[in-house]
Amino acid sequence: MIRYKITFAYDGTNFNGFQRQPKQRTVEGVLTSKINIMAKKPQKTIEVFGSGRTDSGVHALAQVAHFDFPFDLPTEAIYRGLNSMLPLDMEVLKVEKVSDTFHARYDVSGKRYMYRADLGEFSNPFKRNYTGHWKFPVDVDKVRTALTDLIGQHDFSSFVASGSTAKSNVRTIYDAKCFYDEAENEINIEFYGNGFLYNMVRIMVGVAMEIGAGTRPEHDVLRLFDVKDRDQARLTMPASGLYLKKVYYEGDDPEHPTKLPKF
Amino acid sequence: MIRYKITFAYDGTNFNGFQRQPKQRTVEGVLTSKINIMAKKPQKTIEVFGSGRTDSGVHALAQVAHFDFPFDLPTEAIYRGLNSMLPLDMEVLKVEKVSDTFHARYDVSGKRYMYRADLGEFSNPFKRNYTGHWKFPVDVDKVRTALTDLIGQHDFSSFVASGSTAKSNVRTIYDAKCFYDEAENEINIEFYGNGFLYNMVRIMVGVAMEIGAGTRPEHDVLRLFDVKDRDQARLTMPASGLYLKKVYYEGDDPEHPTKLPKF
């Protein structure tokens, strides 16, 4: 068996999330089915291991997965074969052969997420599936303050949705930044960290936007770290604005800081 | 009755075109239903008159329509009322009171259409509903030559789909241009003319792209004008790449040339 690592993008709008489920159209389900067709339907189904799940409606600009394939095909053949079979809302960007010790999920060293918040008064018809709509005035500097407070190693218990199966809620955010895109009238927020809990990005964005809108005190993030109470973080921003932008692995990660930034 | 002119955008993906049809979700159908709810369901249904139809999957950045409303409401009230009721894939951009001689369709002096052709090797998941995919190499200068040949007053019989009910196929194209968007790897084509026949823009783009790809001679447009044979224009580009960008009316049209451009 040859282990392949694939990097791929998908528009999450018409997927019921990542994880394979009976009778649901999921990212893992579609990928698994096409890979097994390429392998001429082996007796034992080839399993696909993603770097982690994304929720229904969440997009990926560069998700990563691995699988073991019975034939030693050139990466170019896997690339073309898969892309010719995949539906139009999914595209393989890169295929690599990797050692059979590589694991797309266990070897993750970091992830980068992006959130697009549309500030238009009414929801833009062309952005409804690709942004989260935020119709209140926002002070971008205050959003930035909130994001800076989120950087570092913290217990994110206030920022995790119920249903999380993580043993620990401690995670490290290496970088969190935002900019206002004037042409699009959007706030664009990015988080880079060693891992993210269930709904954590969407909850963090909601808190940062409320701080930006002035409905929360400027340093409320610090209080939320202390109280460890998800109910006090309230809002979960819509899935439609969230993009998994990059998955980092040991060795291929030049942006990974060796020390936490001072702040 | 007060006559209102509205300018509105829609994402055509989930509409069965513009024109009202029983049991189909259409732009006109949705608009008519919401306007009649706003008017408290008058005995005689308020009709909505669009500047013209768009096909299933075709988008509008600024479509125009008019309707007669029983109450003299401020334009701001119509604007907010409609936007709060419309589905997320439609947005009213502007509301104006107009004289009751104004007609959104009969008074049109020109229209501007835009076409986005995605040149990626495989269809981009995020663009599948917003571009037409063109996977062959294209010489942008040749596309430009084809577009220049299309400018002027011509019989567009080779560029109209069967099913057209137009009495004459003579139309004038004031301007036709394209540029290559390197960041998006797209060719963006625009037509500005006094009117467009059924599927005419999508057929013209197909011919221009084939000329750009070298599968048609450089000045084949001139031959197609002569032969007046739609079969020889072959391809109709996908609806997903087409946008109605602007509708022009007498008086509000600074771009409308008084004479045809020299070429």
Side-chain angles (χ1 to χ4, degrees):
Chain A
M1 301 291 267
I2 311 292
R3 185 158 294 185
Y4 290 94
K5 173 189 176 191
I6 57 173
T7 306
F8 54 105
Y10 48 87
D11 175 340
T13 308
N14 297 325
F15 288 104
N16 286 305
F18 189 87
Q19 197 182 23
R20 196 143 52 117
Q21 290 177 68
K23 294 185 187 173
Q24 302 271 3
R25 185 178 191 262
T26 69
V27 175
E28 192 186 50
V30 168
L31 257 183
T32 303
S33 128
K34 301 306 179 192
I35 288 167
N36 279 277
I37 291 171
M38 265 189 88
K40 301 180 180 163
K41 298 191 181 170
Q43 279 203 310
K44 188 170 175 302
T45 301
I46 298 171
E47 278 199 74
V48 176
F49 298 87
S51 79
R53 302 174 195 171
T54 52
D55 279 343
S56 190
V58 173
H59 312 293
L61 301 175
Q63 172 67 283
V64 174
H66 83 262
F67 57 88
D68 291 327
F69 202 72
F71 313 113
D72 187 355
L73 297 182
T75 54
E76 183 74 10
I78 300 273
Y79 172 75
R80 298 193 168 273
L82 268 181
N83 273 325
S84 65
M85 284 193 294
L86 284 173
L88 291 180
D89 48 358
M90 202 189 263
E91 183 185 4
V92 174
L93 307 170
K94 197 175 173 188
V95 179
E96 297 159 271
K97 286 186 190 182
V98 287
S99 102
D100 57 10
T101 60
F102 172 83
H103 196 289
R105 183 163 157 220
Y106 301 144
D107 293 355
V108 171
S109 63
K111 284 188 179 177
R112 184 178 291 274
Y113 277 97
M114 177 177 91
Y115 198 92
R116 286 174 60 184
D118 176 22
L119 303 181
E121 185 181 2
F122 298 105
S123 173
N124 178 322
F126 296 99
K127 293 185 179 182
R128 69 195 193 289
N129 296 326
Y130 305 105
T131 60
H133 187 220
W134 182 272
K135 62 180 173 182
F136 310 104
V138 172
D139 178 336
V140 181
D141 287 333
K142 283 190 181 170
V143 175
R144 198 165 282 127
T145 302
L147 296 179
T148 306
D149 284 346
L150 285 162
I151 294 173
Q153 181 175 325
H154 303 286
D155 183 325
F156 285 90
S157 295
S158 287
F159 299 87
V160 58
S162 61
S164 165
T165 54
K167 282 172 199 150
S168 158
N169 290 335
V170 174
R171 294 290 182 280
T172 302
I173 295 185
Y174 303 123
D175 194 16
K177 59 189 180 189
C178 71
F179 71 93
Y180 174 64
D181 181 338
E182 194 170 350
E184 297 284 349
N185 193 23
E186 289 179 15
I187 286 192
N188 194 299
I189 295 178
E190 272 195 30
F191 292 99
Y192 170 39
N194 67 351
F196 295 89
L197 299 160
Y198 186 47
N199 278 357
M200 178 169 149
V201 178
R202 290 160 60 189
I203 296 169
M204 290 192 299
V205 172
V207 166
M209 292 300 281
E210 287 188 333
I211 288 171
T215 53
R216 239 180 227 286
E218 203 161 336
H219 290 286
D220 207 37
V221 165
L222 307 178
R223 189 185 63 82
L224 289 168
F225 282 143
D226 279 345
V227 295
K228 298 180 184 38
D229 175 9
R230 189 266 174 271
D231 289 343
Q232 295 194 37
R234 294 193 292 258
L235 195 64
T236 303
M237 289 289 281
S240 50
L242 185 59
Y243 297 74
L244 173 58
K245 197 171 173 184
K246 192 162 179 182
V247 183
Y248 298 89
Y249 294 92
E250 295 292 344
D252 70 353
D253 183 358
E255 293 169 82
H256 194 125
T258 47
K259 288 179 184 170
L260 284 183
K262 284 172 190 149
F263 56 93
Chain B
M1 300 292 264
I2 311 294
R3 185 159 293 184
Y4 290 94
K5 173 189 176 191
I6 57 172
T7 305
F8 55 106
Y10 47 86
D11 175 340
T13 310
N14 298 324
F15 288 105
N16 286 303
F18 188 87
Q19 196 182 23
R20 195 145 52 116
Q21 291 176 69
K23 294 186 185 171
Q24 301 272 2
R25 185 177 191 263
T26 68
V27 175
E28 192 186 51
V30 168
L31 257 183
T32 304
S33 128
K34 300 307 179 191
I35 288 168
N36 278 277
I37 292 170
M38 265 189 88
K40 300 178 181 163
K41 299 190 181 169
Q43 278 202 310
K44 187 170 174 303
T45 301
I46 298 170
E47 279 200 73
V48 176
F49 298 87
S51 78
R53 304 174 193 169
T54 52
D55 280 343
S56 192
V58 174
H59 313 292
L61 300 175
Q63 171 66 285
V64 174
H66 83 262
F67 57 87
D68 291 326
F69 202 72
F71 313 114
D72 186 355
L73 297 182
T75 54
E76 182 75 10
I78 300 274
Y79 172 75
R80 297 193 168 273
L82 270 180
N83 273 325
S84 65
M85 283 193 295
L86 286 173
L88 292 179
D89 47 359
M90 203 189 265
E91 183 185 5
V92 174
L93 306 171
K94 196 174 173 189
V95 179
E96 297 160 90
K97 287 185 191 180
V98 287
S99 101
D100 55 13
T101 60
F102 172 84
H103 196 289
R105 182 162 157 223
Y106 301 144
D107 294 354
V108 171
S109 64
K111 285 189 178 176
R112 185 179 289 276
Y113 277 97
M114 177 178 91
Y115 199 92
R116 286 174 59 185
D118 177 22
L119 303 181
E121 185 181 2
F122 299 105
S123 172
N124 178 322
F126 296 99
K127 293 185 179 182
R128 71 197 191 288
N129 296 326
Y130 305 106
T131 60
H133 186 220
W134 183 271
K135 62 180 173 182
F136 310 104
V138 172
D139 179 335
V140 181
D141 287 332
K142 284 190 181 170
V143 174
R144 200 165 282 128
T145 301
L147 296 178
T148 305
D149 285 345
L150 286 162
I151 294 175
Q153 181 175 325
H154 302 286
D155 183 324
F156 285 91
S157 295
S158 287
F159 299 88
V160 56
S162 60
S164 165
T165 55
K167 284 172 200 148
S168 158
N169 290 335
V170 174
R171 294 290 183 277
T172 302
I173 294 185
Y174 303 123
D175 195 17
K177 58 189 180 189
C178 72
F179 70 94
Y180 174 64
D181 182 336
E182 193 170 351
E184 297 285 349
N185 193 22
E186 289 179 15
I187 286 194
N188 195 299
I189 296 178
E190 271 194 32
F191 292 100
Y192 170 40
N194 67 351
F196 294 89
L197 300 160
Y198 186 48
N199 277 358
M200 178 170 148
V201 178
R202 290 160 60 190
I203 296 169
M204 290 191 300
V205 171
V207 166
M209 293 301 281
E210 288 187 333
I211 288 171
T215 54
R216 235 179 230 286
E218 204 160 336
H219 290 288
D220 206 38
V221 165
L222 306 179
R223 188 185 64 82
L224 288 169
F225 282 143
D226 281 343
V227 296
K228 298 180 184 39
D229 176 7
R230 189 265 173 273
D231 289 344
Q232 296 194 35
R234 293 194 293 258
L235 196 64
T236 302
M237 288 289 283
S240 50
L242 185 60
Y243 297 74
L244 173 57
K245 197 171 173 185
K246 192 162 177 180
V247 184
Y248 298 89
Y249 294 92
E250 294 292 344
D252 69 355
D253 183 359
E255 292 168 82
H256 192 124
T258 47
K259 289 178 186 172
L260 284 183
K262 285 172 188 150
F263 56 93

